[in-house]
Amino acid sequence: MTWEEAVSWLRIQPDKTELVSACYFDDPLEAAAQRFYNSLEWQAVRALLPNKPGAVLDVGAGRGIASYALSVDGWDVTALEPDASALVGAGAIATLSKLTPKPINIVQDWGETLPFEDACFDVVHARQVLHHAKDLNQFCKELIRVLRPGGMLIATREHVVDNPEGLRAFLDTHPLHSLYGGENAFTLQEYLDALASGLAPVIALSPWETPVNYFPAKYPDVRKAASRKIFWPFPALLPDWVVRRVSRRLSDPGRLYTFIGYRSQL
């Protein structure tokens, strides 16, 4: 199947309604995009972004929900999405672009060979994208190349595994990988090494350190999960620093991380 066909299949499964909504694959597209804009995840991303909007590249933009959110927040958005689909690709982004304060510039191309000049974006945003890279090092090299000195790269909700066995376990349980075969994940060190080649510092936020990763769960859910890991009977009394420490020790295949890095001013 293609990605569009896999998502179309998912949307008609009666037991997958909640998953479809959580992934923002539901229609109407405008309502899904607005729900993402109002979500705890986007609020947390907004808090990480620079205060002054500028030029942003939204890589692997998919349906365009993040491109929409960035534009509504005042950014000059270029959306990179190789798929032309009206459901999950450039066609969907074009629909949302009609509703944004400024038109979204849509470019159909791949991240490993970006069709942009050096140092032309203030921010590169990638939501659930790096783990799809055919060549992670080359992909990150290109993303860093188009960043201006001091610019930020933020890659959110990236799947992390610890070894080949973990990768197989993650792929075996993914709801769509068996249909279209496009999922993947890397080790934490592989992500850090690829990003550190041109960014300093690189910050890695583990699964429970930010709502960007754990949404649509809420923080009380995170406290309960952390408490179960350490057999702590009072989740509401669990200190935040303990939650963070437990989060960094998780080994669940496919767990989500967010990475933030800044291109050198030199």
Side-chain angles (χ1 to χ4, degrees):
M1 286 188 182
T2 65
W3 175 235
E4 179 181 46
E5 289 169 339
V7 172
S8 296
W9 174 87
L10 187 71
R11 283 166 34 122
I12 62 174
Q13 304 309 305
D15 61 334
K16 302 297 184 184
T17 303
E18 186 174 341
L19 176 60
V20 168
S21 178
C23 294
Y24 303 98
F25 291 152
D26 54 311
D27 286 331
L29 173 58
E30 297 87 340
Q34 188 61 41
R35 193 172 74 250
F36 175 75
Y37 181 76
N38 294 330
S39 70
L40 185 61
E41 177 191 341
W42 184 250
Q43 292 174 33
V45 171
R46 182 190 294 124
L48 296 171
L49 292 171
N51 292 327
K52 184 179 179 181
V56 58
L57 175 64
D58 186 24
V59 180
R63 301 192 89 196
I65 58 170
S67 297
Y68 171 87
L70 286 160
S71 182
V72 172
D73 279 349
W75 292 84
D76 295 314
V77 183
T78 295
L80 187 88
E81 173 52 53
D83 196 325
S85 168
L87 174 63
V88 292
I93 303 170
T95 297
L96 288 178
S97 180
K98 299 173 183 176
L99 306 175
T100 56
K102 305 174 186 177
I104 297 169
N105 178 33
I106 303 169
V107 178
Q108 288 185 238
D109 215 323
W110 296 91
E112 283 87 352
T113 54
L114 293 176
F116 307 113
E117 297 179 357
D118 294 354
C120 57
F121 293 103
D122 300 295
V123 169
V124 171
H125 172 269
R127 182 180 185 266
Q128 302 180 164
V129 174
L130 295 189
H131 62 269
H132 292 290
K134 294 179 175 62
D135 184 332
L136 181 62
N137 289 322
Q138 175 61 25
F139 195 1
C140 291
K141 182 179 179 181
E142 277 291 276
L143 299 185
I144 295 165
R145 177 184 66 79
V146 300
L147 269 179
R148 291 173 178 146
M152 170 196 278
L153 187 154
I154 177 168
T156 68
R157 298 175 68 88
E158 296 294 349
H159 292 295
V160 169
V161 295
D162 296 318
N163 47 50
E165 292 74 22
L167 177 59
R168 285 194 293 272
F170 165 62
L171 296 179
D172 286 346
T173 59
H174 193 280
L176 293 179
H177 180 71
S178 63
L179 299 178
Y180 88 109
E183 289 300 323
N184 194 19
F186 297 97
T187 68
L188 180 58
Q189 195 59 52
E190 285 174 319
Y191 285 114
L192 292 174
D193 289 346
L195 293 168
S197 62
L199 302 174
V202 176
I203 302 164
L205 299 175
S206 62
W208 296 336
E209 286 190 82
T210 171
V212 178
N213 297 330
Y214 63 69
F215 184 81
K218 297 181 180 179
Y219 194 57
D221 304 316
V222 167
R223 284 184 181 275
K224 290 178 182 177
S227 295
R228 287 195 294 270
K229 289 286 185 181
I230 60 173
F231 305 103
W232 177 260
F234 309 110
L237 301 180
L238 194 67
D240 291 346
W241 68 268
V242 175
V243 175
R244 289 193 296 271
R245 176 173 289 185
V246 174
S247 178
R248 292 168 189 163
R249 295 179 177 177
L250 292 175
S251 59
D252 311 61
R255 62 196 182 275
L256 297 178
Y257 266 73
T258 285
F259 301 95
I260 302 168
Y262 300 87
R263 185 171 179 181
S264 170
Q265 293 277 5
L266 299 178

